Amino acid sequence: MFLKQVKPTPEQRKIFFLNPDQPTLLSDRAGSGKTTTAILRAKQLINFYKRQGLEPRVGFFVFNNTLKNYLEPLANIYLQGENFEVWVIDKWCKDFLETRGLLKYIIADDFVCKICLQQAIQAIQLRSKYPQLIKLGYDFLVEEINYLLGRFGFDTISYIESERIGRGSNPNIDKQTKRLIAEELIPDYQLSLQELNYIDWNDLREQVFSFMQAGAEYEKYDILVVDEAQDLSASQIKILLELTSSDTKSITFIRDTTQRIYKNNYIWDDINLSFGIGSELDLEKNYRNTREIAMVAASLMQSVSSEEYDIDILDPDLIETSGLKPVWLRGRYIYQQKYLLDTLGNIDIYTESVGILHIQTSSVNQLAIKLQNSGYDCFVLKDEDNLNDTLGGVYVSTLHSAKGLEFDHVFIVGYDEFFAPGPYKLSHRNTSAHLSAHRKLLYTAITRARKTLTITSSINEYSQFLKEIDVNLLQIIEV
């Protein structure tokens, strides 16, 4: 299903002409072969440094376990015998502190973070300064804190004075509110965490970076490759730069900002990083999707607001493969499931892969049970799972966990307004950043499909993002 022969495309061959001894940026589109490019880049650099008499230490860094488990088997095959490691960046940070006895707190999950944020807001309200803060909503404030700390660390002045890149204008956050968040809310929030013996990931990364800069001993990488760099934060990028050997300065970032599904927006100036002549490559061609699937994905992104920046949408005109028109099936959920099962019966699942995607984890598990009860062996993709080297199979996943993967046939099931952008009671439901992230998540899910794409929804309560797609590009079926 997943592992493919690493053979450079004409576009990818251009990496052989990039400077080997300075930071490099590879910008690509969905389906242009990011993971293949990461391995090709590492292989090229290994050969280069071996010719210089160096046995290079190589590090691949990604943002989650799904991508690690996708990339690692490929690297094991094509870099066999080389000195390399594949890491999730936050796992490396946690291990850095644990192995040195420096991790003094429990890492807080989302639930604990929200409880501590609620306590911090209540503390500010008791001081009767800014009761309007609560109107922004807990979910939005969690995102804003992650954005602030991920991009600026504890540099509150830069946060207050800078444009909120990628966060949109809804809601409008003025300087007074930004100052309140930076100078009062975050200290109260972090104090609440510490009182419960917790630390969040933002603070953990800042501690790691501080120890690194203070002279802590750790082994650096001669070659460092960062896949899906658009989903990392500025603080994570700074740690990776510290991990790169000063002798080689060889770090390669591979990113597609149109597939940025997390709200960790940063710009290279935040990190004081620039790319010199001969250190940037733009991969434009899509080798995965059919033209019909790509047209649906591109149509969705045409509605991107003027507030978006750094967006590179795939170009269907560059795709040579044609196929069936994508299907949008509308009906009750029970009929969506029946259509899914009927369609699966026409697919040779032993030679072709099927990805069945839903936004909600509980719905993914329910779909897996339904498939198993119908006689299908299916594999539920989770972050901690290793991906099998098989040609076919049925894989069930959330849209998030499918990021970076590809399937012959993709079903995006139950894509309704309740799930995207979410229930109406969700406090940050209509914020610019939340809507943008959901749109990009759908774009990413659509571009997982190699041969066919099917989206199912209810008849009247389907997601607003489906309204943004040109209906002439879809075969609409109502059941």
Side-chain angles (χ1 to χ4, degrees):
M1 168 194 169
F2 298 105
L3 304 188
K4 294 187 171 296
Q5 180 69 28
V6 176
K7 182 179 179 180
T9 65
E11 269 194 326
Q12 289 170 334
R13 291 192 187 101
K14 297 176 183 177
I15 65 172
F16 302 137
F17 303 99
L18 296 175
N19 289 330
D21 53 359
Q22 63 184 47
T24 302
L25 175 63
L26 304 183
S27 300
D28 55 15
R29 313 291 189 277
S32 61
K34 284 185 284 296
T35 304
T36 302
T37 304
I39 291 174
L40 288 170
R41 177 63 173 167
K43 197 167 186 177
Q44 175 226 357
L45 291 170
I46 288 170
N47 292 335
F48 172 81
Y49 286 114
K50 279 189 172 182
R51 290 194 296 269
Q52 312 298 316
L54 177 69
E55 288 295 327
R57 181 171 184 255
V58 182
F60 293 95
F61 281 81
V62 295
F63 78 96
N64 70 8
N65 278 311
T66 300
L67 288 172
K68 175 182 181 291
N69 295 331
Y70 181 28
L71 190 151
E72 197 163 33
L74 278 171
N76 282 328
I77 293 171
Y78 297 103
L79 301 180
Q80 189 173 15
E82 306 295 351
N83 181 16
F84 74 89
E85 298 172 350
V86 183
W87 281 96
V88 176
I89 174 61
D90 281 343
K91 177 67 166 58
W92 186 93
C93 290
K94 181 183 177 185
D95 282 10
F96 177 92
L97 294 180
E98 281 185 329
T99 55
R100 292 163 175 79
L102 299 173
L103 187 57
K104 306 299 184 184
Y105 297 94
I106 303 167
I107 301 173
D109 59 19
D110 291 342
F111 177 77
V112 172
C113 289
K114 189 169 183 177
I115 292 296
C116 291
L117 179 60
Q118 290 172 340
Q119 293 175 352
I121 291 174
Q122 290 168 2
I124 292 175
Q125 287 182 300
L126 287 174
R127 296 196 292 267
S128 67
K129 285 188 174 182
Y130 303 99
Q132 75 273 19
L133 186 66
I134 190 63
K135 295 179 182 179
L136 292 173
Y138 295 124
D139 298 296
F140 173 82
L141 288 170
V142 166
E143 290 179 356
E144 191 70 10
I145 288 172
N146 288 333
Y147 165 74
L148 188 166
L149 296 176
R151 183 180 173 194
F152 301 103
F154 295 106
D155 184 1
T156 58
I157 299 300
S158 292
Y159 166 68
I160 293 167
E161 297 297 329
S162 296
E163 180 183 359
R164 295 170 64 251
I165 295 291
R167 295 290 288 157
S169 60
N170 176 29
N172 181 37
I173 304 295
D174 57 23
K175 284 189 177 182
Q176 182 185 33
T177 304
K178 290 167 77 173
R179 188 176 299 279
L180 170 64
I181 292 171
E183 297 180 356
E184 296 196 42
L185 181 61
I186 287 181
D188 282 357
Y189 161 70
Q190 291 177 325
L191 180 61
S192 295
L193 282 171
Q194 291 172 13
E195 287 175 344
L196 295 174
N197 199 37
Y198 281 100
I199 186 175
D200 71 3
W201 283 105
N202 292 303
D203 205 1
L204 182 145
R205 295 171 196 139
E206 284 296 323
Q207 286 190 21
V208 169
F209 186 65
S210 296
F211 282 122
M212 294 173 84
Q213 287 202 310
E217 292 186 2
Y218 55 92
E219 195 171 0
K220 296 196 175 190
Y221 294 93
D222 302 299
I223 299 168
L224 202 147
V225 180
V226 187
D227 197 9
E228 302 281 8
Q230 75 276 358
D231 286 317
L232 300 183
S233 65
S235 61
Q236 290 169 316
I237 299 291
K238 289 177 181 177
I239 290 169
L240 294 172
L241 289 171
E242 288 290 321
L243 268 173
T244 306
S245 169
S246 57
D247 293 329
T248 62
K249 303 182 181 66
S250 181
I251 181 169
T252 300
F253 298 98
I254 302 172
R255 70 174 196 162
D256 175 4
T257 53
T258 313
Q259 294 190 66
R260 179 185 280 133
I261 62 175
Y262 299 99
K263 299 151 192 173
N264 301 325
N265 302 69
Y266 63 86
I267 57 176
W268 296 116
D269 287 347
D270 296 333
I271 313 158
N272 296 318
L273 184 61
S274 60
F275 300 95
I277 298 174
S279 296
E280 293 189 66
L281 176 61
D282 194 4
L283 302 175
E284 296 183 342
K285 195 167 183 178
N286 176 303
Y287 295 91
R288 177 191 301 143
N289 311 126
T290 63
R291 185 180 296 110
E292 289 76 9
I293 292 170
M295 288 171 68
V296 170
S299 175
L300 170 67
M301 297 306 292
Q302 294 303 320
S303 59
V304 169
S305 73
S306 59
E307 294 175 351
E308 294 279 5
Y309 76 106
D310 203 14
I311 295 295
D312 296 312
I313 303 169
L314 60 83
D315 184 354
D317 292 336
L318 297 177
I319 298 175
E320 299 172 0
T321 306
S322 293
L324 298 174
K325 181 181 283 191
V327 172
W328 178 9
L329 179 124
R330 302 195 295 226
R332 291 174 57 191
Y333 193 57
I334 188 172
Y335 296 134
Q336 296 175 43
Q337 293 176 313
K338 183 179 184 302
Y339 182 88
L340 168 63
L341 292 172
D342 290 344
T343 307
L344 276 179
N346 297 321
I347 298 173
D348 184 355
I349 60 173
Y350 297 102
T351 61
E352 296 191 314
S353 58
V354 179
I356 300 171
L357 315 181
H358 197 289
I359 286 184
Q360 193 175 56
T361 301
S362 60
S363 295
V364 166
N365 295 330
Q366 290 167 7
L367 281 168
I369 294 171
K370 179 77 172 179
L371 288 163
Q372 290 162 356
N373 290 340
S374 301
Y376 289 98
D377 289 329
C378 61
F379 189 83
V380 179
L381 289 177
K382 299 177 182 176
D383 273 359
E384 63 270 18
D385 290 325
N386 288 313
L387 304 181
N388 297 329
D389 181 9
T390 56
L391 289 174
V394 179
Y395 298 80
V396 194
S397 168
T398 62
L399 272 67
H400 282 88
S401 290
K403 191 176 192 300
L405 307 181
E406 59 183 60
F407 310 90
D408 292 309
H409 309 278
V410 167
F411 294 83
I412 302 172
V413 182
Y415 198 73
D416 287 345
E417 188 79 356
F418 180 81
F419 299 110
Y424 288 101
K425 66 180 181 180
L426 194 66
S427 61
H428 65 320
R429 184 180 189 274
N430 293 314
T431 62
S432 302
H434 184 72
L435 294 174
S436 173
H438 264 287
R439 184 180 293 107
K440 290 176 181 178
L441 182 59
L442 177 58
Y443 171 89
T444 301
I446 289 171
T447 55
R448 301 309 92 200
R450 284 197 290 256
K451 296 180 178 179
T452 69
L453 168 70
T454 302
I455 303 173
T456 76
S457 71
S458 61
I459 293 178
N460 298 316
E461 297 178 355
Y462 50 84
S463 169
Q464 65 189 63
F465 301 111
L466 296 180
K467 301 174 186 177
E468 299 177 1
I469 299 173
D470 181 355
V471 294
N472 295 312
L473 301 176
L474 297 163
Q475 178 187 352
I476 297 178
I477 301 174
E478 290 196 357
V479 292

